[in-house]
Amino acid sequence: MSNGQQIGIGGFNILPKGVKNLLIINILVFFATIVFAKAGICDLNKWLGLHYFKAPDFHVWQFITYMFMHGNFGHIFFNMFALWMFGAAVENYWGTKKFLLYYLATGIGAALTHYVITAVEIAPAMALFNQFLDAPSLDTYRYLVENNQITQLQSVLQNNYQVLQQNPDNLNELVAATISIQDSYLNSFLLIGASGAIYGILLAFGFLFPNSPIYIYFLFPIKAKWFVLIFGVIELLYGVVGTPDGVAHFAHLGGMIFGILLIWLWHRHDNRSQQQTFYQFNGGGNSGRQNSSWQFWKKEKSTTGKSKYYVSHESGRPLSDEDFNARRQAEKEHIDEILDKISKSGYDALSKEEKETLFRYSNK
């Protein structure tokens, strides 16, 4: 599979448990947001959307809840469609627990990336505010007004400066007003949507099934690995150049970056676990590596460099065509049995050995 075989529905759950539950939660929260707003109960975006970590409205749970908030129907539709389209294959391959952990981790990673970039962007403005608040005076406020680069604050700051010039004794009131302006500005940074986690899922799909075709507009096929690469480059360019659409492009890129890191860590851990299992099986010695009975063959390059053949670990000699085909057929039948078991009972029902067999086969 990770070599890019075309994905088929047979043997896999088209709507696995993790994807199904995520779809349900996102849809319920979306309609709850609309109903609560129209009824005047509360604005769920304020409580569940992710605010800047220095904003008064920030709460730590928002790093999780923001992923289930969406701004409009188009926003949630395309995110949920992508979740089903790519997430089902990834969950079927990894299992529900690993899939959900990855989903949440990349969503949190997307938020962290977004706010690291935001912190860098607003640092000069915050320095100006703090300079005045640390030493309130007409001069420090004039410096704030003259050097402020935040367009939406320019008018109110200028008006307050004129009032202060006419009434210098109102400096304490201006300090309170400036704190309020700063808090409102920080509260204005609101991140909502599952897009960061969805881009992480897209990255995982491209990693697991690099050569599987993705049809753009249902017409034009492109391999998953190139699709992921193109989207990553686009998000990087949009993030650097900036767009007026209010989309958090660096959050999307952050979801992919954290996805790469997590997959790399898992891959490293899996390799170590497999090495430990191998040495335990062979008594911990290197001699077992040459005569192991569980590894039927390995791929080697011929001395000519023009072809590849398989070497039997029992005899140390190249396999005949008949033996090679027989072992390939036996392996295929064993894989078919594993896929049938997944179809009936789900991926989590597999034994550790069956999962390792499926993993080894997928990397050939």
Side-chain angles (χ1 to χ4, degrees):
M1 294 175 191
S2 62
N3 258 355
Q5 289 93 331
Q6 197 165 0
I7 301 170
I9 298 301
F12 292 93
N13 190 346
I14 195 171
L15 190 61
K17 188 182 350 180
V19 170
K20 178 174 67 176
N21 288 335
L22 287 173
L23 289 172
I24 292 172
I25 295 172
N26 275 278
I27 293 171
L28 288 178
V29 172
F30 177 71
F31 283 109
T33 303
I34 297 174
V35 172
F36 282 22
K38 288 188 176 181
I41 299 175
C42 70
D43 181 7
L44 286 181
N45 284 316
K46 177 180 179 180
W47 296 102
L48 303 183
L50 180 60
H51 290 82
Y52 187 65
F53 66 94
K54 289 187 177 180
D57 287 344
F58 168 76
H59 300 284
V60 68
W61 65 72
Q62 293 170 353
F63 276 107
I64 298 293
T65 57
Y66 94 94
M67 290 181 249
F68 302 96
M69 306 296 296
H70 291 87
N72 52 54
F73 177 78
H75 191 195
I76 190 172
F77 174 80
F78 286 108
N79 274 346
M80 295 303 99
F81 179 75
L83 172 61
W84 169 77
M85 182 176 180
F86 302 110
V90 174
E91 183 180 351
N92 278 315
Y93 187 85
W94 274 345
T96 300
K97 291 182 180 179
K98 190 172 182 178
F99 170 78
L100 290 177
L101 174 61
Y102 179 87
Y103 182 89
L104 294 175
T106 52
I108 293 173
L112 291 174
T113 303
H114 174 70
Y115 278 124
V116 166
I117 300 299
T118 301
V120 172
E121 291 178 344
I122 68 173
M126 293 301 100
L128 291 174
F129 274 99
N130 293 332
Q131 182 178 350
F132 167 72
L133 295 175
D134 291 341
S137 69
L138 180 62
D139 290 337
T140 55
Y141 198 79
R142 180 176 65 249
Y143 188 80
L144 167 62
V145 174
E146 291 175 350
N147 292 277
N148 168 63
Q149 300 296 320
I150 307 171
T151 305
Q152 62 265 38
L153 298 182
Q154 192 62 48
S155 177
V156 65
L157 292 176
Q158 185 65 43
N159 290 337
N160 287 344
Y161 177 64
Q162 293 175 357
V163 172
L164 180 63
Q165 284 181 308
Q166 298 172 2
N167 302 280
D169 295 336
N170 291 345
L171 186 60
N172 290 336
E173 295 180 11
L174 182 61
V175 169
T178 302
I179 293 175
S180 178
I181 292 171
Q182 184 184 42
D183 288 345
S184 296
Y185 175 65
L186 292 176
N187 277 333
S188 67
F189 292 94
L190 180 67
L191 185 65
I192 59 173
S195 300
I198 297 301
Y199 271 76
I201 295 298
L202 177 62
L203 183 280
F205 184 90
F207 174 81
L208 296 173
F209 315 105
N211 294 321
S212 294
I214 296 175
Y215 289 88
I216 301 176
Y217 299 115
F218 303 100
L219 294 175
F220 309 106
I222 181 174
K223 289 183 178 180
K225 58 186 177 183
W226 304 123
F227 185 83
V228 171
L229 180 62
I230 290 171
F231 263 75
V233 171
I234 289 175
E235 292 305 312
L236 177 61
L237 291 176
Y238 278 163
V240 172
V241 175
T243 58
D245 53 10
V247 175
H249 294 287
F250 277 116
H252 299 169
L253 193 62
M256 301 180 81
I257 292 173
F258 272 76
I260 292 173
L261 292 175
L262 196 54
I263 290 173
W264 176 75
L265 288 174
W266 283 342
H267 184 67
R268 221 176 139 188
H269 177 268
D270 288 342
N271 285 341
R272 287 180 177 176
S273 297
Q274 289 175 5
Q275 288 174 5
Q276 291 173 0
T277 302
F278 176 83
Y279 285 114
Q280 289 172 0
F281 181 83
N282 291 284
N286 289 331
S287 59
R289 189 176 184 86
Q290 301 300 324
N291 300 300
S292 60
S293 59
W294 64 270
Q295 188 177 12
F296 294 117
W297 58 75
K298 68 177 181 178
K299 189 176 285 188
E300 297 281 356
K301 286 187 178 180
S302 68
T303 55
T304 62
K306 296 180 180 179
S307 62
K308 296 179 180 179
Y309 57 88
Y310 285 84
V311 177
S312 169
H313 280 261
E314 290 87 354
S315 65
R317 298 177 180 176
L319 290 171
S320 66
D321 290 342
E322 292 78 7
D323 288 341
F324 170 75
N325 291 331
R327 292 191 175 186
R328 289 285 289 189
Q329 181 62 30
E331 183 184 53
K332 182 179 182 302
E333 290 175 357
H334 185 42
I335 293 298
D336 288 341
E337 291 175 359
I338 295 176
L339 294 179
D340 288 339
K341 188 173 181 180
I342 294 176
S343 179
K344 294 176 181 178
S345 306
Y347 181 83
D348 292 335
L350 298 181
S351 66
K352 181 180 179 180
E353 291 74 18
E354 288 171 331
K355 291 179 180 178
E356 289 177 352
T357 298
L358 192 62
F359 179 81
R360 288 197 304 271
Y361 182 78
S362 69
N363 280 282
K364 292 183 178 180

